[in-house]
């Protein structure tokens, strides 16, 4: 038993663990821990589709080390950190132990994605080593009440590249919350429209040499197999990529109607609208 207290009475050890009244019975006081915002006796219950908390973003120019603060986080929040740069490949310096997944796009840009469950020893910021790259676009996103036991080393479950287009078809959703990160190269892009059922979360515009590189993120709950639709850009871009990142959750066994998912969701047979 955690935090159990026993006292020697001269002949035997006697349990003297402090008791608290929970409204029904007396029981041992549960151990407490600091989750970064409050004292907790246990981690919160996981959700089928973890909730987006907040994000931070930055454009770093002519710096070998690119640091970006995390949004307000609590223990067991699921952190997604994305770094887009040119050569050499970005390397995650902090937090220690998180291993990024790296991709080289046909445009020559490099995309690195790292995920980890946060706790206080992980620190309040993320540091990427971008070496001699002239510029780097960074984004950190936090999700709450995810199933961290399902956190894998390779959260990227799909990547699709496009060229000379103003529309980006999104890959089919997974059974978890789906985070779509779109990277585009264009000198004239000023906006975009995510399809119905996709919630825009953040975007970072930046200039890499003569090109304007945009990093845009949005998410949606997914039931697996459904196609969320197409991202519409306000101009034709020379190159683009969409990265699909899975935010793991745990099903509560209830049916869920997901806006925009015509395959997995049919009104009249499912019950919950996830906003």
């Amino acid at each position: 038993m955690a935090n159990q207290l026993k006292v020697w009475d001269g002949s035997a050890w006697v349990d003297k663990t402090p008791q608290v009244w929970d409204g029904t019975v007396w029981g041992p006081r549960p151990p407490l821990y600091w989750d970064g915002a409050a004292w907790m006796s246990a981690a919160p219950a996981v959700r089928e589709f973890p909730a987006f908390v907040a994000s931070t973003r930055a454009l770093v120019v002519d710096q070998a080390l690119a640091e970006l603060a995390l949004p307000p986080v609590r223990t067991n929040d699921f952190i997604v950190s994305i770094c887009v740069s040119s050569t050499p490949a970005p390397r995650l310096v902090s937090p220690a132990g998180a291993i990024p997944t790296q991709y080289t796009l046909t445009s020559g840009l490099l995309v690195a994605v790292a995920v980890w469950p946060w706790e206080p020893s992980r620190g309040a910021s993320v540091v990427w080593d971008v070496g001699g790259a002239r510029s780097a676009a960074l984004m950190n996103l936090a999700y709450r009440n995810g199933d961290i036991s399902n956190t894998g080393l390779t959260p990227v479950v799909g990547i699709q590249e496009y060229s000379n287009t103003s529309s980006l078809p999104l890959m089919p959703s997974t059974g978890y919350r789906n985070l779509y990160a779109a990277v585009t190269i264009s000198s004239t892009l000023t906006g975009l429209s995510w399809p119905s059922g996709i919630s825009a979360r953040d975007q970072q515009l930046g200039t890499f040499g003569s090109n304007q590189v945009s990093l845009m993120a949005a998410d949606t709950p997914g039931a697996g197999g459904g196609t969320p639709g197409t991202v519409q850009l306000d101009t034709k871009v020379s190159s683009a990529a969409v990265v699909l990142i899975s935010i793991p959750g745990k099903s509560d066994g209830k049916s869920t109607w997901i806006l925009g998912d015509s395959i997995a969701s049919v009104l009249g047979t499912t019950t919950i609208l996830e906003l």
Side-chain angles (χ1 to χ4, degrees):
M1 179 186 297
N3 291 357
Q4 188 177 33
L5 173 64
K6 290 191 174 184
V7 177
W8 182 255
D9 68 357
S11 59
W13 289 100
V14 179
D15 185 4
K16 294 293 184 179
T17 304
Q19 303 286 299
V20 294
W21 180 254
D22 68 0
T24 304
V25 297
W26 287 95
R29 183 185 301 275
L32 299 179
Y33 70 93
W34 179 252
D35 80 341
W39 288 99
M40 302 287 290
S41 60
V46 298
R47 294 177 53 178
E48 182 167 9
F49 303 117
F52 172 75
V53 176
S55 63
T56 54
R57 68 184 185 277
L59 175 66
V60 176
V61 179
D62 293 332
Q63 295 183 34
L65 293 180
E67 183 172 7
L68 178 61
L70 291 170
V73 288
R74 306 180 71 164
T75 295
N76 290 341
D77 279 359
F78 189 87
I79 306 300
V80 179
S81 186
I82 305 171
C83 178
V84 179
S85 73
S86 55
T87 55
R91 181 175 63 88
L92 187 64
V93 176
S94 178
I99 302 175
T101 302
Q102 298 179 344
Y103 297 91
T104 301
L105 305 181
T106 55
S107 63
L109 288 178
L110 298 162
V111 179
V113 179
V115 302
W116 63 90
W118 187 85
E119 48 89 16
S121 69
R122 296 283 196 172
S125 65
V126 180
V127 179
W128 290 91
D129 182 353
V130 295
R134 287 186 54 83
S135 304
L138 310 177
M139 188 175 295
N140 296 329
L141 304 102
Y143 288 84
R144 186 153 296 161
N145 302 334
D147 184 8
I148 63 171
S149 66
N150 280 333
T151 301
L153 294 178
T154 55
V156 175
V157 296
I159 184 168
Q160 181 67 53
E161 295 193 63
Y162 311 89
S163 60
N164 299 317
T165 183
S166 60
S167 61
L168 311 177
L170 298 178
M171 298 85 87
S173 64
T174 71
Y176 298 124
R177 181 169 293 279
N178 299 267
L179 172 61
Y180 292 95
V183 179
T184 65
I185 298 179
S186 170
S187 60
T188 57
L189 179 71
T190 60
L192 77 165
S193 175
W194 294 93
S196 177
I198 306 291
S199 298
R201 296 308 185 189
D202 211 340
Q203 69 176 32
Q204 175 64 59
L205 306 181
T207 300
F208 288 21
S210 60
N211 293 317
Q212 177 178 293
V213 175
S214 300
L215 170 60
M216 301 154 288
D219 63 32
T220 186
T227 303
T230 300
V231 177
Q232 296 297 329
L233 309 176
D234 67 359
T235 189
K236 182 177 288 188
V237 299
S238 60
S239 178
V242 176
V243 179
L244 173 57
I245 302 165
S246 183
I247 314 296
K250 184 176 293 184
S251 175
D252 58 8
K254 300 177 181 178
S255 301
T256 304
W257 181 69
I258 301 169
L259 181 64
D261 192 333
S262 60
I263 295 179
S265 298
V266 180
L267 287 176
T269 61
T270 53
T271 57
I272 299 173
L273 171 62
E274 174 80 14
L275 297 176

